[in-house]
Amino acid sequence: MEQGWGDGLPLIPPTEARVRGMIAQSGRFPDEVVAVMLPLRAEATVEKIAINAVMAGAPPEAMPLLIATVEAMTDPKFELASLNATTGSVVPAMIINGPIRHKLKIPFGAGCLGGVAGHAPAIGRAIRLLIRNVAGQQIDVTSQSTYGTPGRVAGIVFGEWEEKSPWAPLAERLGVKGDAVTVYGAMGTANICDMIGNTADHFLQIIGKSLAYPGANGFLPSSQWSEVLVAINPVWAEVVGKAYPNPEDVQQKLYDYASIPIDFLDPVYKEPIERIGRLKNGRVHLIQKPEEVFFMVAGGMGGLHAAMLHSWGTCLTTTRAIPQVADTETAAA
């Protein structure tokens, strides 16, 4: 904390032996530059990633995931510099696909967005410490975040329940099969609850209409594009999947429902929204195209709920493969 490396929670001292063990699990050289992180334009080397991972309490086996996440969130289209500077509360949410979910005990069932004992909070915290210590995000210095969010301490890290999904995994639909991490610029998480419906169209309607709240960043006149992420519980997903086995049809339905009449907004919104071409038949949509709706299967078998993660706006979702490391001895060699 005296060095400015901490987030207020206890840190594990990054001793040479601990850091070495982390690096060995990466299969890379310590001084290899994984990415340059903004706004400080500092080099995120394998060693720096390992140091922050140790301090956060992440397991050594998570190094390939952490490296892939750093690569994803430093992709220019993710706009890490803007994320770190904005008045918003945006967090790089990490959605994990592939067998690595089981190896790292990444939650994807009940309580997957928080409360499950396991490695996810420490993995998310490692990324948050990298954003603090390497990228240089500091409140009232480089960041003007009005509120922040608990996700800026432990991150948002969860998996997809692929085994319960009637559709291909999210990462595969985004172009990467197997072990993968998708980084999404989330403004936090919010719940959607329904205790009456039992049809696919009802579930999609309640989700889509819930997405369309006027204060979402996607409705800002300055937002020429945005995205949205939805986690559908396995019970609802089975019903929806039978009616709409094509993922594009689900995206279209959610896109259609996630809109509000322009007259629902203050009149001052109409001209700027119309000017950027977002007014269609008297309605404005939360997202500009159906393909900007991302959805996945996660959550408990109790049903009744979905989760919505609204985007900040200009951070566009990126997906990276998580490389396999043969074993510790090979990596160390």
PDB file of all heavy atoms in Angstrom, residues 213-226 260 262 265-279 284-288 312-314:
ATOM      1  N   TYR A 213     -33.611   0.273 -20.681  1.00  0.00           N
ATOM      2  CA  TYR A 213     -33.902   1.330 -19.714  1.00  0.00           C
ATOM      3  C   TYR A 213     -33.226   2.618 -20.184  1.00  0.00           C
ATOM      4  O   TYR A 213     -32.095   2.595 -20.682  1.00  0.00           O
ATOM      5  CB  TYR A 213     -33.498   0.930 -18.292  1.00  0.00           C
ATOM      6  CG  TYR A 213     -32.025   0.969 -17.971  1.00  0.00           C
ATOM      7  CD1 TYR A 213     -31.437   2.131 -17.471  1.00  0.00           C
ATOM      8  CD2 TYR A 213     -31.219  -0.156 -18.121  1.00  0.00           C
ATOM      9  CE1 TYR A 213     -30.095   2.170 -17.152  1.00  0.00           C
ATOM     10  CE2 TYR A 213     -29.878  -0.123 -17.802  1.00  0.00           C
ATOM     11  CZ  TYR A 213     -29.322   1.057 -17.312  1.00  0.00           C
ATOM     12  OH  TYR A 213     -27.980   1.092 -17.006  1.00  0.00           O
ATOM     13  N   PRO A 214     -33.908   3.767 -20.061  1.00  0.00           N
ATOM     14  CA  PRO A 214     -33.453   4.999 -20.710  1.00  0.00           C
ATOM     15  C   PRO A 214     -32.075   5.480 -20.294  1.00  0.00           C
ATOM     16  O   PRO A 214     -31.388   6.138 -21.068  1.00  0.00           O
ATOM     17  CB  PRO A 214     -34.525   6.024 -20.311  1.00  0.00           C
ATOM     18  CG  PRO A 214     -35.727   5.217 -20.015  1.00  0.00           C
ATOM     19  CD  PRO A 214     -35.226   3.935 -19.429  1.00  0.00           C
ATOM     20  N   GLY A 215     -31.643   5.159 -19.066  1.00  0.00           N
ATOM     21  CA  GLY A 215     -30.349   5.641 -18.608  1.00  0.00           C
ATOM     22  C   GLY A 215     -29.170   4.818 -19.052  1.00  0.00           C
ATOM     23  O   GLY A 215     -28.027   5.136 -18.708  1.00  0.00           O
ATOM     24  N   ALA A 216     -29.405   3.766 -19.825  1.00  0.00           N
ATOM     25  CA  ALA A 216     -28.297   2.945 -20.320  1.00  0.00           C
ATOM     26  C   ALA A 216     -27.447   3.752 -21.299  1.00  0.00           C
ATOM     27  O   ALA A 216     -27.966   4.569 -22.071  1.00  0.00           O
ATOM     28  CB  ALA A 216     -28.838   1.692 -21.013  1.00  0.00           C
ATOM     29  N   ASN A 217     -26.148   3.517 -21.278  1.00  0.00           N
ATOM     30  CA  ASN A 217     -25.247   4.259 -22.164  1.00  0.00           C
ATOM     31  C   ASN A 217     -25.622   4.124 -23.634  1.00  0.00           C
ATOM     32  O   ASN A 217     -25.351   5.015 -24.440  1.00  0.00           O
ATOM     33  CB  ASN A 217     -23.808   3.780 -21.960  1.00  0.00           C
ATOM     34  CG  ASN A 217     -23.128   4.484 -20.799  1.00  0.00           C
ATOM     35  OD1 ASN A 217     -23.779   4.825 -19.813  1.00  0.00           O
ATOM     36  ND2 ASN A 217     -21.831   4.696 -20.891  1.00  0.00           N
ATOM     37  N   GLY A 218     -26.242   2.988 -23.988  1.00  0.00           N
ATOM     38  CA  GLY A 218     -26.603   2.791 -25.384  1.00  0.00           C
ATOM     39  C   GLY A 218     -27.609   3.785 -25.908  1.00  0.00           C
ATOM     40  O   GLY A 218     -27.739   3.956 -27.127  1.00  0.00           O
ATOM     41  N   PHE A 219     -28.341   4.465 -25.027  1.00  0.00           N
ATOM     42  CA  PHE A 219     -29.328   5.444 -25.465  1.00  0.00           C
ATOM     43  C   PHE A 219     -28.773   6.869 -25.493  1.00  0.00           C
ATOM     44  O   PHE A 219     -29.491   7.804 -25.836  1.00  0.00           O
ATOM     45  CB  PHE A 219     -30.567   5.402 -24.563  1.00  0.00           C
ATOM     46  CG  PHE A 219     -31.433   4.199 -24.802  1.00  0.00           C
ATOM     47  CD1 PHE A 219     -31.723   3.319 -23.778  1.00  0.00           C
ATOM     48  CD2 PHE A 219     -31.946   3.933 -26.064  1.00  0.00           C
ATOM     49  CE1 PHE A 219     -32.527   2.210 -23.989  1.00  0.00           C
ATOM     50  CE2 PHE A 219     -32.742   2.829 -26.292  1.00  0.00           C
ATOM     51  CZ  PHE A 219     -33.037   1.961 -25.256  1.00  0.00           C
ATOM     52  N   LEU A 220     -27.512   7.046 -25.127  1.00  0.00           N
ATOM     53  CA  LEU A 220     -26.933   8.387 -25.170  1.00  0.00           C
ATOM     54  C   LEU A 220     -26.850   8.880 -26.612  1.00  0.00           C
ATOM     55  O   LEU A 220     -26.462   8.121 -27.509  1.00  0.00           O
ATOM     56  CB  LEU A 220     -25.532   8.377 -24.561  1.00  0.00           C
ATOM     57  CG  LEU A 220     -25.440   8.067 -23.062  1.00  0.00           C
ATOM     58  CD1 LEU A 220     -23.972   7.945 -22.652  1.00  0.00           C
ATOM     59  CD2 LEU A 220     -26.138   9.146 -22.256  1.00  0.00           C
ATOM     60  N   PRO A 221     -27.207  10.135 -26.865  1.00  0.00           N
ATOM     61  CA  PRO A 221     -27.111  10.653 -28.234  1.00  0.00           C
ATOM     62  C   PRO A 221     -25.692  10.608 -28.783  1.00  0.00           C
ATOM     63  O   PRO A 221     -25.486  10.627 -29.991  1.00  0.00           O
ATOM     64  CB  PRO A 221     -27.594  12.102 -28.087  1.00  0.00           C
ATOM     65  CG  PRO A 221     -28.439  12.109 -26.866  1.00  0.00           C
ATOM     66  CD  PRO A 221     -27.819  11.104 -25.944  1.00  0.00           C
ATOM     67  N   SER A 222     -24.707  10.544 -27.901  1.00  0.00           N
ATOM     68  CA  SER A 222     -23.316  10.476 -28.349  1.00  0.00           C
ATOM     69  C   SER A 222     -22.891   9.058 -28.713  1.00  0.00           C
ATOM     70  O   SER A 222     -21.796   8.844 -29.233  1.00  0.00           O
ATOM     71  CB  SER A 222     -22.391  11.007 -27.242  1.00  0.00           C
ATOM     72  OG  SER A 222     -22.548  10.245 -26.058  1.00  0.00           O
ATOM     73  N   SER A 223     -23.742   8.069 -28.423  1.00  0.00           N
ATOM     74  CA  SER A 223     -23.382   6.666 -28.672  1.00  0.00           C
ATOM     75  C   SER A 223     -23.833   6.232 -30.059  1.00  0.00           C
ATOM     76  O   SER A 223     -24.999   5.928 -30.283  1.00  0.00           O
ATOM     77  CB  SER A 223     -24.025   5.752 -27.613  1.00  0.00           C
ATOM     78  OG  SER A 223     -23.544   6.051 -26.329  1.00  0.00           O
ATOM     79  N   GLN A 224     -22.887   6.205 -30.977  1.00  0.00           N
ATOM     80  CA  GLN A 224     -23.220   5.734 -32.317  1.00  0.00           C
ATOM     81  C   GLN A 224     -23.200   4.207 -32.375  1.00  0.00           C
ATOM     82  O   GLN A 224     -23.667   3.620 -33.330  1.00  0.00           O
ATOM     83  CB  GLN A 224     -22.239   6.316 -33.337  1.00  0.00           C
ATOM     84  CG  GLN A 224     -22.373   7.839 -33.456  1.00  0.00           C
ATOM     85  CD  GLN A 224     -21.646   8.371 -34.669  1.00  0.00           C
ATOM     86  OE1 GLN A 224     -21.738   7.817 -35.753  1.00  0.00           O
ATOM     87  NE2 GLN A 224     -20.921   9.464 -34.481  1.00  0.00           N
ATOM     88  N   TRP A 225     -22.625   3.586 -31.373  1.00  0.00           N
ATOM     89  CA  TRP A 225     -22.679   2.134 -31.287  1.00  0.00           C
ATOM     90  C   TRP A 225     -22.578   1.724 -29.824  1.00  0.00           C
ATOM     91  O   TRP A 225     -22.131   2.476 -28.973  1.00  0.00           O
ATOM     92  CB  TRP A 225     -21.563   1.480 -32.098  1.00  0.00           C
ATOM     93  CG  TRP A 225     -20.179   1.768 -31.589  1.00  0.00           C
ATOM     94  CD1 TRP A 225     -19.511   1.095 -30.614  1.00  0.00           C
ATOM     95  CD2 TRP A 225     -19.305   2.809 -32.017  1.00  0.00           C
ATOM     96  NE1 TRP A 225     -18.271   1.638 -30.400  1.00  0.00           N
ATOM     97  CE2 TRP A 225     -18.117   2.702 -31.259  1.00  0.00           C
ATOM     98  CE3 TRP A 225     -19.394   3.824 -32.976  1.00  0.00           C
ATOM     99  CZ2 TRP A 225     -17.037   3.565 -31.429  1.00  0.00           C
ATOM    100  CZ3 TRP A 225     -18.320   4.683 -33.127  1.00  0.00           C
ATOM    101  CH2 TRP A 225     -17.168   4.555 -32.377  1.00  0.00           C
ATOM    102  N   SER A 226     -23.024   0.527 -29.545  1.00  0.00           N
ATOM    103  CA  SER A 226     -22.920  -0.043 -28.205  1.00  0.00           C
ATOM    104  C   SER A 226     -23.195  -1.530 -28.321  1.00  0.00           C
ATOM    105  O   SER A 226     -23.575  -2.024 -29.385  1.00  0.00           O
ATOM    106  CB  SER A 226     -23.913   0.615 -27.234  1.00  0.00           C
ATOM    107  OG  SER A 226     -25.245   0.378 -27.645  1.00  0.00           O
ATOM    108  N   ILE A 260     -37.184   1.676 -27.248  1.00  0.00           N
ATOM    109  CA  ILE A 260     -38.206   2.501 -26.602  1.00  0.00           C
ATOM    110  C   ILE A 260     -38.701   3.551 -27.599  1.00  0.00           C
ATOM    111  O   ILE A 260     -37.968   3.953 -28.507  1.00  0.00           O
ATOM    112  CB  ILE A 260     -37.668   3.207 -25.341  1.00  0.00           C
ATOM    113  CG1 ILE A 260     -36.398   3.998 -25.655  1.00  0.00           C
ATOM    114  CG2 ILE A 260     -37.412   2.206 -24.225  1.00  0.00           C
ATOM    115  CD1 ILE A 260     -35.835   4.749 -24.465  1.00  0.00           C
ATOM    116  N   ILE A 262     -39.344   7.068 -29.117  1.00  0.00           N
ATOM    117  CA  ILE A 262     -38.584   8.308 -28.953  1.00  0.00           C
ATOM    118  C   ILE A 262     -39.340   9.295 -28.073  1.00  0.00           C
ATOM    119  O   ILE A 262     -38.735  10.080 -27.340  1.00  0.00           O
ATOM    120  CB  ILE A 262     -38.242   8.940 -30.326  1.00  0.00           C
ATOM    121  CG1 ILE A 262     -37.252  10.095 -30.163  1.00  0.00           C
ATOM    122  CG2 ILE A 262     -39.503   9.371 -31.051  1.00  0.00           C
ATOM    123  CD1 ILE A 262     -35.906   9.692 -29.616  1.00  0.00           C
ATOM    124  N   LEU A 265     -38.575   9.597 -24.309  1.00  0.00           N
ATOM    125  CA  LEU A 265     -37.441  10.399 -23.871  1.00  0.00           C
ATOM    126  C   LEU A 265     -37.790  11.883 -23.915  1.00  0.00           C
ATOM    127  O   LEU A 265     -38.726  12.298 -24.600  1.00  0.00           O
ATOM    128  CB  LEU A 265     -36.224  10.135 -24.759  1.00  0.00           C
ATOM    129  CG  LEU A 265     -35.693   8.694 -24.791  1.00  0.00           C
ATOM    130  CD1 LEU A 265     -34.605   8.560 -25.845  1.00  0.00           C
ATOM    131  CD2 LEU A 265     -35.159   8.280 -23.424  1.00  0.00           C
ATOM    132  N   ASP A 266     -37.027  12.669 -23.196  1.00  0.00           N
ATOM    133  CA  ASP A 266     -37.179  14.117 -23.250  1.00  0.00           C
ATOM    134  C   ASP A 266     -37.004  14.576 -24.706  1.00  0.00           C
ATOM    135  O   ASP A 266     -36.148  14.047 -25.431  1.00  0.00           O
ATOM    136  CB  ASP A 266     -36.113  14.776 -22.367  1.00  0.00           C
ATOM    137  CG  ASP A 266     -36.331  16.266 -22.204  1.00  0.00           C
ATOM    138  OD1 ASP A 266     -36.074  17.002 -23.183  1.00  0.00           O
ATOM    139  OD2 ASP A 266     -36.747  16.689 -21.114  1.00  0.00           O
ATOM    140  N   PRO A 267     -37.781  15.543 -25.172  1.00  0.00           N
ATOM    141  CA  PRO A 267     -37.697  15.986 -26.572  1.00  0.00           C
ATOM    142  C   PRO A 267     -36.299  16.402 -27.028  1.00  0.00           C
ATOM    143  O   PRO A 267     -35.991  16.334 -28.225  1.00  0.00           O
ATOM    144  CB  PRO A 267     -38.660  17.177 -26.620  1.00  0.00           C
ATOM    145  CG  PRO A 267     -39.665  16.884 -25.554  1.00  0.00           C
ATOM    146  CD  PRO A 267     -38.890  16.205 -24.454  1.00  0.00           C
ATOM    147  N   VAL A 268     -35.449  16.821 -26.100  1.00  0.00           N
ATOM    148  CA  VAL A 268     -34.110  17.263 -26.506  1.00  0.00           C
ATOM    149  C   VAL A 268     -33.285  16.116 -27.098  1.00  0.00           C
ATOM    150  O   VAL A 268     -32.288  16.356 -27.777  1.00  0.00           O
ATOM    151  CB  VAL A 268     -33.339  17.896 -25.325  1.00  0.00           C
ATOM    152  CG1 VAL A 268     -34.059  19.139 -24.818  1.00  0.00           C
ATOM    153  CG2 VAL A 268     -33.141  16.891 -24.193  1.00  0.00           C
ATOM    154  N   TYR A 269     -33.708  14.872 -26.850  1.00  0.00           N
ATOM    155  CA  TYR A 269     -32.956  13.734 -27.377  1.00  0.00           C
ATOM    156  C   TYR A 269     -33.234  13.487 -28.859  1.00  0.00           C
ATOM    157  O   TYR A 269     -32.414  12.895 -29.559  1.00  0.00           O
ATOM    158  CB  TYR A 269     -33.313  12.460 -26.601  1.00  0.00           C
ATOM    159  CG  TYR A 269     -32.616  12.326 -25.272  1.00  0.00           C
ATOM    160  CD1 TYR A 269     -33.111  12.959 -24.143  1.00  0.00           C
ATOM    161  CD2 TYR A 269     -31.463  11.568 -25.143  1.00  0.00           C
ATOM    162  CE1 TYR A 269     -32.485  12.836 -22.908  1.00  0.00           C
ATOM    163  CE2 TYR A 269     -30.821  11.430 -23.924  1.00  0.00           C
ATOM    164  CZ  TYR A 269     -31.333  12.071 -22.809  1.00  0.00           C
ATOM    165  OH  TYR A 269     -30.706  11.952 -21.602  1.00  0.00           O
ATOM    166  N   LYS A 270     -34.404  13.902 -29.340  1.00  0.00           N
ATOM    167  CA  LYS A 270     -34.833  13.477 -30.669  1.00  0.00           C
ATOM    168  C   LYS A 270     -33.887  13.921 -31.771  1.00  0.00           C
ATOM    169  O   LYS A 270     -33.470  13.106 -32.607  1.00  0.00           O
ATOM    170  CB  LYS A 270     -36.249  13.984 -30.954  1.00  0.00           C
ATOM    171  CG  LYS A 270     -36.775  13.474 -32.308  1.00  0.00           C
ATOM    172  CD  LYS A 270     -38.226  13.858 -32.527  1.00  0.00           C
ATOM    173  CE  LYS A 270     -38.732  13.314 -33.854  1.00  0.00           C
ATOM    174  NZ  LYS A 270     -40.136  13.656 -34.107  1.00  0.00           N
ATOM    175  N   GLU A 271     -33.534  15.192 -31.806  1.00  0.00           N
ATOM    176  CA  GLU A 271     -32.720  15.704 -32.915  1.00  0.00           C
ATOM    177  C   GLU A 271     -31.343  15.038 -32.988  1.00  0.00           C
ATOM    178  O   GLU A 271     -30.945  14.551 -34.056  1.00  0.00           O
ATOM    179  CB  GLU A 271     -32.592  17.222 -32.800  1.00  0.00           C
ATOM    180  CG  GLU A 271     -31.982  17.883 -34.037  1.00  0.00           C
ATOM    181  CD  GLU A 271     -30.456  17.838 -34.051  1.00  0.00           C
ATOM    182  OE1 GLU A 271     -29.840  17.869 -32.945  1.00  0.00           O
ATOM    183  OE2 GLU A 271     -29.881  17.740 -35.151  1.00  0.00           O
ATOM    184  N   PRO A 272     -30.585  14.972 -31.879  1.00  0.00           N
ATOM    185  CA  PRO A 272     -29.274  14.323 -31.997  1.00  0.00           C
ATOM    186  C   PRO A 272     -29.349  12.833 -32.294  1.00  0.00           C
ATOM    187  O   PRO A 272     -28.497  12.301 -33.014  1.00  0.00           O
ATOM    188  CB  PRO A 272     -28.626  14.588 -30.626  1.00  0.00           C
ATOM    189  CG  PRO A 272     -29.738  14.937 -29.717  1.00  0.00           C
ATOM    190  CD  PRO A 272     -30.781  15.581 -30.559  1.00  0.00           C
ATOM    191  N   ILE A 273     -30.367  12.139 -31.774  1.00  0.00           N
ATOM    192  CA  ILE A 273     -30.514  10.710 -32.075  1.00  0.00           C
ATOM    193  C   ILE A 273     -30.889  10.509 -33.538  1.00  0.00           C
ATOM    194  O   ILE A 273     -30.383   9.604 -34.219  1.00  0.00           O
ATOM    195  CB  ILE A 273     -31.556  10.077 -31.129  1.00  0.00           C
ATOM    196  CG1 ILE A 273     -30.958   9.901 -29.735  1.00  0.00           C
ATOM    197  CG2 ILE A 273     -32.041   8.725 -31.667  1.00  0.00           C
ATOM    198  CD1 ILE A 273     -31.913   9.337 -28.703  1.00  0.00           C
ATOM    199  N   GLU A 274     -31.745  11.370 -34.052  1.00  0.00           N
ATOM    200  CA  GLU A 274     -32.145  11.279 -35.458  1.00  0.00           C
ATOM    201  C   GLU A 274     -30.968  11.610 -36.369  1.00  0.00           C
ATOM    202  O   GLU A 274     -30.791  10.995 -37.427  1.00  0.00           O
ATOM    203  CB  GLU A 274     -33.310  12.242 -35.710  1.00  0.00           C
ATOM    204  CG  GLU A 274     -34.043  11.997 -37.013  1.00  0.00           C
ATOM    205  CD  GLU A 274     -35.350  12.767 -37.072  1.00  0.00           C
ATOM    206  OE1 GLU A 274     -35.478  13.805 -36.382  1.00  0.00           O
ATOM    207  OE2 GLU A 274     -36.253  12.328 -37.802  1.00  0.00           O
ATOM    208  N   ARG A 275     -30.149  12.567 -35.943  1.00  0.00           N
ATOM    209  CA  ARG A 275     -29.014  13.004 -36.759  1.00  0.00           C
ATOM    210  C   ARG A 275     -28.014  11.885 -37.004  1.00  0.00           C
ATOM    211  O   ARG A 275     -27.395  11.811 -38.065  1.00  0.00           O
ATOM    212  CB  ARG A 275     -28.327  14.196 -36.094  1.00  0.00           C
ATOM    213  CG  ARG A 275     -27.166  14.746 -36.900  1.00  0.00           C
ATOM    214  CD  ARG A 275     -26.596  16.064 -36.382  1.00  0.00           C
ATOM    215  NE  ARG A 275     -27.147  16.525 -35.148  1.00  0.00           N
ATOM    216  CZ  ARG A 275     -26.511  16.461 -33.961  1.00  0.00           C
ATOM    217  NH1 ARG A 275     -25.324  15.877 -33.891  1.00  0.00           N
ATOM    218  NH2 ARG A 275     -27.060  16.954 -32.879  1.00  0.00           N
ATOM    219  N   ILE A 276     -27.820  11.002 -36.017  1.00  0.00           N
ATOM    220  CA  ILE A 276     -26.859   9.915 -36.203  1.00  0.00           C
ATOM    221  C   ILE A 276     -27.526   8.639 -36.722  1.00  0.00           C
ATOM    222  O   ILE A 276     -26.942   7.561 -36.721  1.00  0.00           O
ATOM    223  CB  ILE A 276     -26.085   9.618 -34.898  1.00  0.00           C
ATOM    224  CG1 ILE A 276     -27.032   9.210 -33.763  1.00  0.00           C
ATOM    225  CG2 ILE A 276     -25.239  10.803 -34.489  1.00  0.00           C
ATOM    226  CD1 ILE A 276     -26.315   8.806 -32.484  1.00  0.00           C
ATOM    227  N   GLY A 277     -28.771   8.766 -37.173  1.00  0.00           N
ATOM    228  CA  GLY A 277     -29.445   7.668 -37.857  1.00  0.00           C
ATOM    229  C   GLY A 277     -29.943   6.555 -36.970  1.00  0.00           C
ATOM    230  O   GLY A 277     -30.109   5.410 -37.418  1.00  0.00           O
ATOM    231  N   ARG A 278     -30.263   6.865 -35.715  1.00  0.00           N
ATOM    232  CA  ARG A 278     -30.676   5.815 -34.792  1.00  0.00           C
ATOM    233  C   ARG A 278     -32.185   5.783 -34.553  1.00  0.00           C
ATOM    234  O   ARG A 278     -32.661   4.969 -33.777  1.00  0.00           O
ATOM    235  CB  ARG A 278     -29.939   5.964 -33.456  1.00  0.00           C
ATOM    236  CG  ARG A 278     -28.434   5.755 -33.582  1.00  0.00           C
ATOM    237  CD  ARG A 278     -27.805   5.553 -32.231  1.00  0.00           C
ATOM    238  NE  ARG A 278     -28.474   4.508 -31.493  1.00  0.00           N
ATOM    239  CZ  ARG A 278     -28.442   4.413 -30.163  1.00  0.00           C
ATOM    240  NH1 ARG A 278     -27.800   5.308 -29.455  1.00  0.00           N
ATOM    241  NH2 ARG A 278     -29.073   3.429 -29.542  1.00  0.00           N
ATOM    242  N   LEU A 279     -32.921   6.641 -35.218  1.00  0.00           N
ATOM    243  CA  LEU A 279     -34.371   6.670 -35.051  1.00  0.00           C
ATOM    244  C   LEU A 279     -35.013   5.858 -36.174  1.00  0.00           C
ATOM    245  O   LEU A 279     -34.856   6.167 -37.360  1.00  0.00           O
ATOM    246  CB  LEU A 279     -34.874   8.115 -35.070  1.00  0.00           C
ATOM    247  CG  LEU A 279     -36.340   8.326 -34.689  1.00  0.00           C
ATOM    248  CD1 LEU A 279     -36.605   7.808 -33.275  1.00  0.00           C
ATOM    249  CD2 LEU A 279     -36.694   9.809 -34.777  1.00  0.00           C
ATOM    250  N   VAL A 284     -36.135   4.110 -30.822  1.00  0.00           N
ATOM    251  CA  VAL A 284     -34.674   4.077 -30.775  1.00  0.00           C
ATOM    252  C   VAL A 284     -34.272   2.787 -30.072  1.00  0.00           C
ATOM    253  O   VAL A 284     -34.815   2.428 -29.030  1.00  0.00           O
ATOM    254  CB  VAL A 284     -34.098   5.320 -30.059  1.00  0.00           C
ATOM    255  CG1 VAL A 284     -34.683   5.495 -28.680  1.00  0.00           C
ATOM    256  CG2 VAL A 284     -32.581   5.235 -29.989  1.00  0.00           C
ATOM    257  N   HIS A 285     -33.341   2.064 -30.680  1.00  0.00           N
ATOM    258  CA  HIS A 285     -32.895   0.782 -30.144  1.00  0.00           C
ATOM    259  C   HIS A 285     -31.675   0.971 -29.247  1.00  0.00           C
ATOM    260  O   HIS A 285     -30.833   1.844 -29.484  1.00  0.00           O
ATOM    261  CB  HIS A 285     -32.557  -0.177 -31.290  1.00  0.00           C
ATOM    262  CG  HIS A 285     -33.754  -0.639 -32.049  1.00  0.00           C
ATOM    263  ND1 HIS A 285     -34.335  -1.877 -31.858  1.00  0.00           N
ATOM    264  CD2 HIS A 285     -34.499  -0.016 -32.996  1.00  0.00           C
ATOM    265  CE1 HIS A 285     -35.385  -2.002 -32.664  1.00  0.00           C
ATOM    266  NE2 HIS A 285     -35.502  -0.888 -33.367  1.00  0.00           N
ATOM    267  N   LEU A 286     -31.584   0.119 -28.233  1.00  0.00           N
ATOM    268  CA  LEU A 286     -30.440   0.161 -27.325  1.00  0.00           C
ATOM    269  C   LEU A 286     -29.149  -0.101 -28.074  1.00  0.00           C
ATOM    270  O   LEU A 286     -28.132   0.535 -27.823  1.00  0.00           O
ATOM    271  CB  LEU A 286     -30.617  -0.882 -26.216  1.00  0.00           C
ATOM    272  CG  LEU A 286     -29.427  -1.093 -25.280  1.00  0.00           C
ATOM    273  CD1 LEU A 286     -29.206   0.142 -24.412  1.00  0.00           C
ATOM    274  CD2 LEU A 286     -29.623  -2.329 -24.417  1.00  0.00           C
ATOM    275  N   ILE A 287     -29.185  -1.075 -28.983  1.00  0.00           N
ATOM    276  CA  ILE A 287     -28.019  -1.394 -29.789  1.00  0.00           C
ATOM    277  C   ILE A 287     -28.369  -1.146 -31.255  1.00  0.00           C
ATOM    278  O   ILE A 287     -29.530  -1.103 -31.640  1.00  0.00           O
ATOM    279  CB  ILE A 287     -27.531  -2.850 -29.582  1.00  0.00           C
ATOM    280  CG1 ILE A 287     -28.648  -3.830 -29.676  1.00  0.00           C
ATOM    281  CG2 ILE A 287     -26.688  -3.006 -28.358  1.00  0.00           C
ATOM    282  CD1 ILE A 287     -29.405  -4.199 -28.428  1.00  0.00           C
ATOM    283  N   GLN A 288     -27.370  -0.973 -32.061  1.00  0.00           N
ATOM    284  CA  GLN A 288     -27.608  -0.550 -33.438  1.00  0.00           C
ATOM    285  C   GLN A 288     -27.872  -1.710 -34.397  1.00  0.00           C
ATOM    286  O   GLN A 288     -28.514  -1.552 -35.419  1.00  0.00           O
ATOM    287  CB  GLN A 288     -26.409   0.268 -33.943  1.00  0.00           C
ATOM    288  CG  GLN A 288     -26.320   1.653 -33.325  1.00  0.00           C
ATOM    289  CD  GLN A 288     -26.006   1.598 -31.827  1.00  0.00           C
ATOM    290  OE1 GLN A 288     -25.021   1.011 -31.412  1.00  0.00           O
ATOM    291  NE2 GLN A 288     -26.853   2.212 -31.024  1.00  0.00           N
ATOM    292  N   TRP A 312     -20.410  -0.041 -21.727  1.00  0.00           N
ATOM    293  CA  TRP A 312     -20.097   1.374 -21.579  1.00  0.00           C
ATOM    294  C   TRP A 312     -20.288   2.096 -22.910  1.00  0.00           C
ATOM    295  O   TRP A 312     -20.725   3.232 -22.964  1.00  0.00           O
ATOM    296  CB  TRP A 312     -18.659   1.528 -21.063  1.00  0.00           C
ATOM    297  CG  TRP A 312     -18.171   2.926 -21.061  1.00  0.00           C
ATOM    298  CD1 TRP A 312     -18.703   3.986 -20.376  1.00  0.00           C
ATOM    299  CD2 TRP A 312     -17.060   3.454 -21.783  1.00  0.00           C
ATOM    300  NE1 TRP A 312     -17.986   5.128 -20.610  1.00  0.00           N
ATOM    301  CE2 TRP A 312     -16.964   4.830 -21.485  1.00  0.00           C
ATOM    302  CE3 TRP A 312     -16.126   2.898 -22.648  1.00  0.00           C
ATOM    303  CZ2 TRP A 312     -15.977   5.652 -22.017  1.00  0.00           C
ATOM    304  CZ3 TRP A 312     -15.137   3.709 -23.170  1.00  0.00           C
ATOM    305  CH2 TRP A 312     -15.067   5.073 -22.857  1.00  0.00           C
ATOM    306  N   GLY A 313     -19.972   1.423 -23.991  1.00  0.00           N
ATOM    307  CA  GLY A 313     -20.184   2.032 -25.305  1.00  0.00           C
ATOM    308  C   GLY A 313     -19.086   1.692 -26.275  1.00  0.00           C
ATOM    309  O   GLY A 313     -19.224   0.792 -27.099  1.00  0.00           O
ATOM    310  N   THR A 314     -17.939   2.381 -26.170  1.00  0.00           N
ATOM    311  CA  THR A 314     -16.940   2.251 -27.224  1.00  0.00           C
ATOM    312  C   THR A 314     -15.963   1.098 -27.025  1.00  0.00           C
ATOM    313  O   THR A 314     -15.142   0.839 -27.892  1.00  0.00           O
ATOM    314  CB  THR A 314     -16.136   3.561 -27.381  1.00  0.00           C
ATOM    315  OG1 THR A 314     -15.460   3.845 -26.154  1.00  0.00           O
ATOM    316  CG2 THR A 314     -17.052   4.718 -27.720  1.00  0.00           C
TER     317      THR A 314
END
